[in-house]
């Protein structure tokens, strides 16, 4: 007898959902026992790690990843990671187990009130009315995840999988196509704004992180001879950050943001919100002399943008036509943009600083490395010192919650094993999903985890200092991240001092793309403040500015 389970497997194959990330329970056993050989199962030891790894996989492949969660406990544990997946626009198909349909009315043990548990973060949630509706619901979830670029949930009672597949309804379309054409009138309207501007600038964001859009934006910036800024809190790079026209990362504090944008009479955001903030401050995002416009493929992003003109369009095609349509100013002098100086090496016997570790990494990382970041107190230094040189070169949690970097790095490396993957993580951040290291070790995932260990929540200490108060939370210098990694089967070494650090990096990084086992380096660093503001003074009247977020913007 052909079962609902058999039909569901066919739907999963149709949509390329053949790698299953899970931490299952009893309500999922009927689905997983004797899993077909063409379906791969990846176990993680916590649901945050499950969803984090699937998020990395989905972002690396630009295709939905498959997740399985165990009723209330599993979905509840995963909600924070699902929120991050939604903000990072990662397409996920999430199957959530439920108690047996035949006695749900009595609310048996492990029955879940699941429909609203993840709040508004799913792009779709479906509870099939009968077992035979499950395969079609999975197909609809796959389409919803692709189109909405977020997690789509299907809640499946445990007895549904064994039900006969007779009388299945017409499922979701096998293929769903979206138009990718460009409104030429909208291109002309944006080009006219740029042509009328005496000093335009671009702000790029995560939505522009693909090879075609990078090429188009590079051509556009070079024709305009204009600087390109990265959005505040950018979860991905939208432009090659080693390009001469890259100006740096915009601050998210409004006063500093207005100062950064003051030299420009038009700012066009591409693939970025306008302009994301954290702590509230009175006043506009830009001064009276600066007009704002946005081009995005996210309708919600366009609708909430405080701009003069918002255009919703497929970015690769739109940016290509825009680059060809603007007035060519490439004969004008190239603006001179400052670059931050590398920090001085530590003196003999002096503890390493986070910036010194990042500078050493920057000198040695292959250009095609995927760097996954979760080090709040050192993120400004990372932005200043470690440029993203290829698409998917930088990734962090758009939503801001901790526990993303370790599992995401694992999922990325599994999805694109040809690229080196390095996660740079604070020791405090690492503890939120330290369990994910077991998955890396068990499945032979050759990612490198660099943990900047200062034994405290340094960014919170900085916040307390700026507020003029004494923090009530203690340091946790007793915690050995290296020891925790080893207990989970992940090779790990603790590094102290510059000579030991350089020896490790010089040995590891040249062969990083070929690693078949993970490695964690716990690098002892002193708790300190980010680098002093650097001057990025260009020709003309541009002021010297620190383009990096202040520590309070990273909490």
């Amino acid at each position: 007898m052909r079962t609902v389970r058999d039909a569901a497997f066919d739907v999963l194959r149709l949509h390329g959902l053949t790698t299953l990330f899970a931490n299952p329970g009893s309500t999922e056993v009927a689905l997983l026992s004797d899993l077909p050989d063409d379906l791969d199962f990846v176990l993680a030891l916590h649901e945050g790690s499950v969803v984090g790894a699937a998020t990395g996989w989905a972002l690396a492949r630009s295709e939905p990843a498959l997740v399985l969660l165990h009723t209330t406990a599993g979905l509840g544990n995963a909600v924070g990671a699902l929120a991050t997946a939604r903000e990072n626009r990662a397409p996920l198909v999430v199957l959530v187990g439920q108690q047996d349909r035949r006695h749900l009315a009595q609310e048996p043990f492990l029955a879940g009130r699941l429909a609203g548990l993840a709040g508004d973060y799913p792009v779709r949630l479906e509870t099939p009315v009968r077992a035979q509706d499950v395969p079609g619901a999975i197909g609809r979830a796959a389409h919803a995840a692709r189109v909405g670029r977020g997690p789509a949930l299907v809640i499946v009672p445990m007895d549904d999988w064994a039900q006969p597949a007779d009388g299945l309804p017409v499922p979701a379309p096998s293929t769903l196509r979206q138009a990718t054409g460009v409104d030429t009138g909208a291109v002309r309207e944006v080009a006219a704004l740029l042509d009328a501007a005496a000093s335009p600038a671009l702000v790029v964001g995560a939505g522009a992180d693909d090879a075609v859009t990078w090429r188009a934006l590079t051509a556009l910036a070079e024709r305009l001879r204009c600087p390109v800024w990265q959005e505040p809190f950018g979860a991905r790079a939208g432009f090659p950050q080693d390009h001469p026209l890259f100006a740096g990362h915009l601050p998210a504090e409004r006063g500093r943001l207005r100062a950064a944008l003051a030299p420009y009479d038009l700012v066009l955001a591409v693939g970025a919100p306008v302009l994301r903030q954290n702590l509230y401050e009175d006043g506009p995002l830009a001064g009276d002399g600066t007009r704002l416009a946005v081009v995005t493929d996210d309708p919600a992003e366009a609708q909430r943008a405080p701009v003069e003109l918002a255009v919703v369009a497929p970015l690769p095609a739109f940016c290509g036509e825009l680059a060809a349509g603007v007035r060519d100013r490439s004969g004008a002098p190239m603006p001179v943009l400052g670059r931050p100086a590398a920090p001085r090496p530590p003196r003999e016997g002096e503890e390493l600083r986070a910036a010194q570790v990042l500078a050493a990494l920057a000198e040695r990382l292959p250009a095609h490395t995927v760097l996954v970041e979760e080090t709040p107190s050192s993120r400004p230094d990372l932005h200043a010192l470690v440029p993203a040189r290829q698409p998917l070169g930088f990734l962090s949690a758009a939503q801001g919650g901790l526990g993303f970097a370790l599992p995401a790095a694992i999922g990325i490396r599994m999805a694109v094993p040809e690229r080196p993957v390095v996660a740079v993580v604070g020791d405090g951040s690492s503890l939120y999903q330290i369990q994910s290291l077991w998955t890396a070790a068990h499945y032979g995932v050759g990612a490198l985890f660099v943990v900047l260990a200062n034994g405290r929540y340094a960014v919170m200490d900085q916040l307390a200092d700026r507020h003029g108060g004494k923090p009530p939370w203690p340091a946790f210098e007793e915690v050995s991240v290296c020891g925790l990694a080893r207990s989970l089967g992940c090779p790990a070494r603790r590094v102290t001092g510059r000579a030991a650090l350089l020896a490790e990096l010089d040995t590891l990084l040249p062969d990083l793309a070929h690693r078949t086992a993970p490695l964690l380096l716990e690098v002892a660093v002193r708790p300190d403040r980010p680098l002093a503001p650097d001057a990025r003074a260009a020709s003309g009247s541009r002021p010297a500015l620190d383009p990096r977020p202040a520590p309070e913007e990273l909490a």
Side-chain angles (χ1 to χ4, degrees), residues 288-453:
D288 292 339
T290 303
R291 303 167 75 186
L292 299 176
V294 63
V295 178
T296 176
D297 59 359
D298 183 347
E301 199 168 80
Q303 292 159 10
R304 63 177 176 259
V307 297
E308 177 180 333
L309 173 65
V311 175
V312 179
L315 294 182
F318 189 96
C319 293
E321 293 197 20
L322 183 62
V326 297
R327 175 166 54 91
D328 189 357
R329 313 183 197 188
S330 58
M334 183 77 78
V336 179
L337 302 173
R339 293 288 180 254
R344 64 164 180 80
R347 299 184 178 93
E348 184 68 28
E350 186 178 44
E351 290 181 282
L352 282 166
R353 296 172 181 261
Q356 293 162 340
V357 178
L358 296 169
L361 268 175
E363 292 172 359
R364 293 162 174 82
L365 284 178
H368 62 309
T369 300
V370 183
L371 190 149
V372 188
E373 175 273 332
E374 194 167 79
T375 175
S377 62
S378 305
R379 192 182 195 198
D381 292 335
L382 188 148
H383 281 328
L385 297 168
V386 190
R389 291 172 283 173
Q390 292 187 13
L392 195 64
F394 173 82
L395 180 64
S396 68
Q399 197 267 346
L402 298 178
F404 172 75
L406 295 186
I410 294 164
I412 292 167
R413 177 68 174 176
M414 295 177 81
V416 285
E418 69 278 6
R419 292 189 68 169
V421 176
V422 177
V424 179
V425 187
D427 53 353
S429 300
S430 74
L431 300 177
Y432 283 77
Q433 283 303 323
I434 195 72
Q435 304 98 320
S436 63
L437 295 176
W438 179 89
T439 301
H442 181 81
Y443 293 98
V445 179
L448 174 64
F449 306 96
V450 178
V451 177
L452 303 177

